[in-house]
Amino acid sequence: MSDRIASLLPESWSGAAWAATALIHVALVLCFVLISVAFFVWLERKVSARIQDRLGPTRVGGRFGWLQSPADGLKLLCKEDIIPAAADRVLFRLAPYLCFCPAFAAFAAIPLAEGWVVLRLDIAALFVLAVAGMEVFGVILAGYASGSKYSLFGAMREAAQVVSYEAPLALCLVIPVMLAGSMDLTTIAQAQAGWFTQWFLFHNPFSFAAFWVFIVCATANTNRAPFDLPEAESELVAGFMTEYSGFRWTVFFMAEYTSMLAVCLIASIAFLGGWNGPIPWTGWLGLSHSVHPLLGFVGDCVGFVNVTAKAFGGVIFIMALRWTLPRLRIDQVMAMCWKYCVPLAAVMLMGATLWLYVFPGGVIRGVGGQWSPSPAVATSWTNGGERE
Amino acid sequence: MEYDVGTDQWVLNMGPQHPATHGVLRLTLRTDGEVVTECVAHVGYLHRSAEKIGENLTPRQFIPFTDRLDYLAGMNMNLGLTLAVEKLAGYAPSEKTRHLRVLAVELCRIASHLVAACSTGLDLGSFTPFMWSFREREKIQLLFEELCGARLTYSYITPGGVTADAPEGWLERCEAFLDQFEPVIDELHAVLTSNGIFVHRMAGVGVLSAADAVAHGCSGPVLRGSGVAWDLRRHGEPIYRSMYDDYRFEVVAPVNGCYPQDHDYPPVPPQAVVGDSWHRFYVRMLEVVQSIGLVRQAIKKYRQASGTVDAPWQVKQKLPPGEAYLETEAPKGQMGFYLVSDGSAVPWRLRIRSSSFCNLSVVEKLCRGVMLADVAAIVASLDIVLGEIDR
């Protein structure tokens, strides 16, 4: 996308253009993330209310309580910002931002539609996992700096849990990377163009299973129930957030929802075809940049809706899980990771590798539409895994 | 379990303000990492001198204070004091009163067990069943409000009788409630009892042997969960037992690992050990079903009974000199009231035996060597109410 914006500006402005486009990108992504988070806060209330036979917000902003999130935000902003006497003041203040920034930084490499990405990285999949994993520093710091035993318990749990679940999460993500022959999330999504049968979810039985393992690990990695041990309210009061209040607490809260959105976006790109809808109708209508830039933009908008809809579907699924299941115990969480998720993910990876070796063209793929490997895939296979 | 990695031990102060301690219980935990090596319960944060107040008021005046002992089962508390006073006076109420009392008490037991079972879910991180059960409990409270004007502190069953007869159409509304409530139990079983995570968290955790349960004076579902089929409605003193004389119900307890056969609820999971948290929870869920049957029978018997409902005694009615002690089967266990009278209207001495107090006494034993999260599960499965413990 930066190329397109840069092309609108004169040559001599290249430095300024770079800065300007970077700023515009960050602003756009920040808007997307913050609006999504605000929407999730409202959505979580509505989803939980639906499950619990309640109404949820109905007062602020009309019948459906649309303005509940701004009202919540305003309330939290007005709250007193307390730093406990036993806290390490500097680290205590730093921690929420260390938590939110990595979650947000992951969006730099996540494409929201074809070409709608801040930084198109060759190693986007790795970058996203690595950066999102840094969130744990903020949590540990919060737990340590709070000077409270409950906070420290929460932080230690988070450290153990997140570090463990990164292994199966990465193993699952290797499968789409392997199928597409690239770590670039844009290429991965491009490789799934066409009918929904082209999605990596339906590529082979192993990738189908790997998707569900990925969802489980993503839930654990974002500390959502049934893996919300770091903030287990019935044992640890609020875990690492116990001593936080007001805006700092809000930042932690936003970080949680942001990382939830990030993993759901990755799942939707890596397994659910990204911006490719179930039916390739945009292609039939000629909504592509090769026909006309404006039509291409419309097509990108449709793609953006596709990506977001899939990711939001994932978010709703994770929310429904939270309001249905009890919480696991820490030893059970660790056992689940190392005894079930890691071996399962490894088996799925091996299975997918074998499948790719036996059926290079795919078996289920190509049922709904004509099968042709995307250029990136084709080159990567012929080049022995290297991108052009 | 053995751990070869030891860390510095910590003292973690859980409560008196803590989400998992059901009120103002304070637990001091000595923890080695996540493992609790020692647990000490501190009570007394809700002490309101109920017994001393009882020695300055007539029983009729003291009834509202009994509501506040186990505030989740006010009816049962009312009944405990009432029957103790009636035992002292050698008084027997009319048939119609008896059936109305059984109806109220068993309805209240359903409400109390609903809170107990589903706050267990809450302590395990499952919020939804809690809301579902509160929705049902709300309907019981509405029924009680219609019956006696109060939603929580009923003061309904009083020495001599009850404060009011059932209003017009109330029994039909009770039946309508029970009809719609019965399927909800299956829903609760689906999200809790047979839920895999729930079973993993509860089964085999906090195993209380029958011998220990008896030695600590445990009663109610805590005792029955350990496999002792002891229910004062069956095995209590004649004045209390006779209330349930012509009623059919099962004493729910896993005797020899088996529950009464007249139910089709989820089977006992293989991990569950008799006396663990899961069994304590399950006993309550099955007792709800028994109570539904009792309420239905009470409605039928009340309709068939002739005569009138007895009104309460005068406030200053004199008590005969002497003493009386009576334990009744409250939802949490055996609730005892001890009265000594010198012949005046005000008891000379009044003492209360709390069921939750004895049930809580096992917490130190059960919470040794468990994980931190299990403490919440164990305390929840004991189902304590601090208002009753501290009195």
Side-chain angles (χ1 to χ4, degrees):
Chain A
M1 195 183 190
S2 49
D3 312 338
R4 273 174 225 150
I5 295 175
S7 66
L8 298 174
L9 298 163
E11 276 296 310
S12 56
W13 286 22
S14 61
W18 189 86
T21 49
L23 273 179
I24 291 169
H25 281 144
V26 169
L28 281 175
V29 171
L30 196 62
C31 279
F32 171 69
V33 170
L34 292 183
I35 290 171
S36 300
V37 167
F39 178 67
F40 290 159
V41 172
W42 173 84
L43 191 67
E44 175 113 56
R45 284 158 174 258
K46 278 295 187 191
V47 167
S48 65
R50 260 263 176 250
I51 293 175
Q52 293 171 352
D53 203 359
R54 298 185 285 117
L55 291 174
T58 54
R59 297 301 165 112
V60 205
R63 233 183 108 198
F64 298 102
W66 288 107
L67 292 176
Q68 189 63 47
S69 306
D72 280 351
L74 203 64
K75 180 201 78 175
L76 287 165
L77 276 178
C78 297
K79 278 194 160 186
E80 189 186 353
D81 178 30
I82 299 166
I83 299 177
D88 184 320
R89 296 181 71 87
V90 177
L91 296 182
F92 186 83
R93 288 174 185 206
L94 189 66
Y97 309 111
L98 274 183
C99 205
F100 178 73
C101 289
F104 176 65
F107 281 83
I110 298 176
L112 296 174
E114 186 147 21
W116 286 19
V117 57
V118 178
L119 263 177
R120 189 174 168 181
L121 287 173
D122 287 349
I123 49 152
L126 183 66
F127 172 82
V128 169
L129 278 185
V131 166
M134 276 167 60
E135 200 187 320
V136 70
F137 287 120
V139 173
I140 293 177
L141 217 54
Y144 164 75
S146 290
S148 153
K149 288 174 183 175
Y150 287 111
S151 303
L152 197 53
F153 262 120
M156 294 320 289
R157 284 181 177 188
E158 160 102 9
Q161 183 180 333
V162 169
V163 169
S164 302
Y165 272 90
E166 246 161 40
L169 194 75
L171 278 177
C172 288
L173 201 57
V174 169
I175 293 174
V177 165
M178 190 175 64
L179 297 179
S182 168
M183 273 206 198
D184 184 352
L185 287 172
T186 308
T187 317
I188 291 176
Q190 278 168 347
Q192 303 173 69
W195 287 78
F196 65 91
T197 47
Q198 306 290 99
W199 295 358
F200 285 155
L201 175 66
F202 303 115
H203 183 278
N204 61 53
F206 300 103
S207 63
F208 185 80
F211 170 72
W212 297 104
V213 179
F214 183 87
I215 288 289
V216 170
C217 297
T219 314
N221 221 16
T222 48
N223 302 326
R224 295 286 298 185
F227 306 102
D228 58 342
L229 295 151
E231 48 206 90
E233 79 277 355
S234 55
E235 304 141 32
L236 300 185
V237 189
F240 62 87
M241 300 198 283
T242 306
E243 303 295 341
Y244 282 88
S245 62
F247 188 68
R248 282 177 224 285
W249 184 84
T250 317
V251 173
F252 273 122
F253 199 67
M254 288 199 310
E256 180 184 325
Y257 281 87
T258 308
S259 53
M260 188 161 71
L261 176 64
V263 290
C264 285
L265 275 172
I266 296 168
S268 99
I269 290 165
F271 288 97
L272 299 175
W275 49 80
N276 302 298
I279 303 165
W281 59 273
T282 46
W284 301 340
L285 293 181
L287 295 177
S288 74
H289 285 283
S290 54
V291 179
H292 189 276
L294 206 62
L295 287 177
F297 180 73
V298 174
D300 285 348
C301 288
V302 173
F304 172 71
V305 171
N306 278 334
V307 170
T308 330
K310 288 169 197 167
F312 280 30
V315 169
I316 291 174
F317 178 74
I318 291 178
M319 283 178 182
L321 271 189
R322 170 172 176 185
W323 296 106
T324 313
L325 295 175
R327 184 183 301 119
L328 286 161
R329 211 167 52 205
I330 184 71
D331 57 326
Q332 293 165 344
V333 167
M334 302 309 279
M336 178 149 174
C337 177
W338 295 109
K339 284 189 186 165
Y340 300 102
C341 286
V342 169
L344 252 178
V347 167
M348 294 312 142
L349 179 60
M350 283 192 284
T353 318
L354 282 176
W355 189 278
L356 209 58
Y357 181 72
V358 179
F359 310 108
V363 167
I364 306 172
R365 267 160 86 80
V367 171
Q370 75 277 28
W371 156 247
S372 60
S374 70
V377 181
T379 25
S380 69
W381 285 349
T382 48
N383 293 355
E386 266 177 52
R387 279 187 74 244
E388 69 272 51
Chain B
M1 264 195 273
E2 272 189 34
Y3 297 88
D4 49 358
V5 184
T7 51
D8 281 354
Q9 296 214 333
W10 243 4
V11 175
L12 186 70
N13 194 20
M14 212 172 178
Q17 282 89 28
H18 187 281
T21 53
H22 293 250
V24 284
L25 171 66
R26 180 174 150 226
L27 297 171
T28 17
L29 308 173
R30 190 179 292 281
T31 61
D32 177 5
E34 285 265 349
V35 182
V36 176
T37 55
E38 195 188 338
C39 166
V40 180
H42 301 264
V43 297
Y45 288 90
L46 203 58
H47 185 68
R48 292 158 301 176
S49 312
E51 291 167 335
K52 194 68 198 165
I53 292 170
E55 290 165 10
N56 292 284
L57 296 174
T58 67
R60 179 79 207 281
Q61 291 169 322
F62 185 60
I63 283 286
F65 288 88
T66 61
D67 282 325
R68 286 150 179 88
L69 291 175
D70 178 356
Y71 38 78
L72 295 174
M75 289 287 185
N76 304 66
M77 298 296 112
N78 295 167
L79 183 77
L81 178 68
T82 299
L83 285 184
V85 173
E86 288 177 359
K87 183 185 173 189
L88 181 67
Y91 170 88
S94 71
E95 280 294 286
K96 218 164 181 175
T97 315
R98 174 165 78 96
H99 297 311
L100 200 53
R101 280 180 180 179
V102 171
L103 203 170
V105 162
E106 293 305 322
L107 212 50
C108 205
R109 192 185 306 275
I110 296 173
S112 171
H113 278 350
L114 273 178
V115 175
C118 295
S119 60
T120 308
L122 189 66
D123 283 344
L124 300 188
S126 186
F127 203 84
T128 298
F130 185 74
M131 299 303 276
W132 288 357
S133 77
F134 262 61
R135 177 190 65 198
E136 301 307 318
R137 178 171 174 262
E138 182 70 24
K139 292 168 190 162
I140 297 178
Q141 286 178 326
L142 287 175
L143 285 172
F144 279 148
E145 187 175 11
E146 216 179 325
L147 181 67
C148 62
R151 290 163 48 81
L152 196 70
T153 50
Y154 311 109
S155 306
Y156 179 63
I157 300 169
T158 55
V162 291
T163 52
D165 198 354
E168 194 70 32
W170 188 76
L171 296 172
E172 286 73 32
R173 284 191 285 281
C174 272
E175 280 174 332
F177 162 73
L178 294 178
D179 288 339
Q180 73 86 33
F181 173 60
E182 268 169 331
V184 175
I185 296 175
D186 291 330
E187 289 177 13
L188 293 177
H189 277 303
V191 288
L192 291 176
T193 319
S194 52
N195 180 293
I197 298 177
F198 184 82
V199 170
H200 271 96
R201 285 292 308 277
M202 296 287 280
V205 171
V207 182
L208 178 66
S209 70
D212 275 345
V214 173
H216 281 263
C218 294
S219 53
V222 176
L223 179 68
R224 290 193 284 275
S226 293
V228 183
W230 178 261
D231 189 326
L232 289 185
R233 289 176 290 176
R234 268 284 151 70
H235 309 106
E237 285 189 43
I239 187 170
Y240 181 57
R241 199 173 59 210
S242 62
M243 256 183 84
Y244 290 89
D245 257 352
D246 42 356
Y247 285 86
R248 277 190 308 108
F249 68 98
E250 295 270 1
V251 176
V252 180
V255 181
N256 304 323
C258 293
Y259 281 94
Q261 293 301 311
D262 66 332
H263 69 88
D264 54 350
Y265 290 109
V268 178
Q271 304 100 311
V273 189
V274 170
D276 64 2
S277 302
W278 190 89
H279 275 283
R280 287 191 282 274
F281 166 83
Y282 196 51
V283 162
R284 284 190 193 99
M285 291 301 281
L286 295 190
E287 274 184 14
V288 168
V289 182
Q290 298 297 331
S291 289
I292 291 175
L294 283 168
V295 173
R296 284 195 195 281
Q297 292 172 47
I299 292 174
K300 209 169 137 208
K301 290 183 203 300
Y302 173 84
R303 284 196 178 124
Q304 287 166 351
S306 54
T308 53
V309 169
D310 290 337
W313 291 341
Q314 295 297 310
V315 174
K316 300 268 173 166
Q317 172 123 357
K318 284 207 163 61
L319 300 168
E323 59 180 334
Y325 178 65
L326 183 71
E327 285 189 0
T328 56
E329 186 73 29
K332 312 279 186 293
Q334 297 176 11
M335 193 73 194
F337 285 88
Y338 178 58
L339 287 158
V340 182
S341 169
D342 56 1
S344 68
V346 178
W348 183 68
R349 280 287 179 268
L350 190 144
R351 287 288 179 270
I352 302 166
R353 187 253 188 215
S354 158
S355 48
S356 294
F357 184 80
C358 295
N359 289 349
L360 181 67
S361 67
V362 298
V363 82
E364 300 182 8
K365 198 162 218 161
L366 298 188
C367 290
R368 206 167 292 149
V370 300
M371 305 288 284
L372 190 59
D374 290 334
V375 174
I378 290 168
V379 171
S381 77
L382 292 176
D383 185 24
I384 48 161
V385 161
L386 269 297
E388 180 195 321
I389 291 177
D390 295 340
R391 302 194 278 289

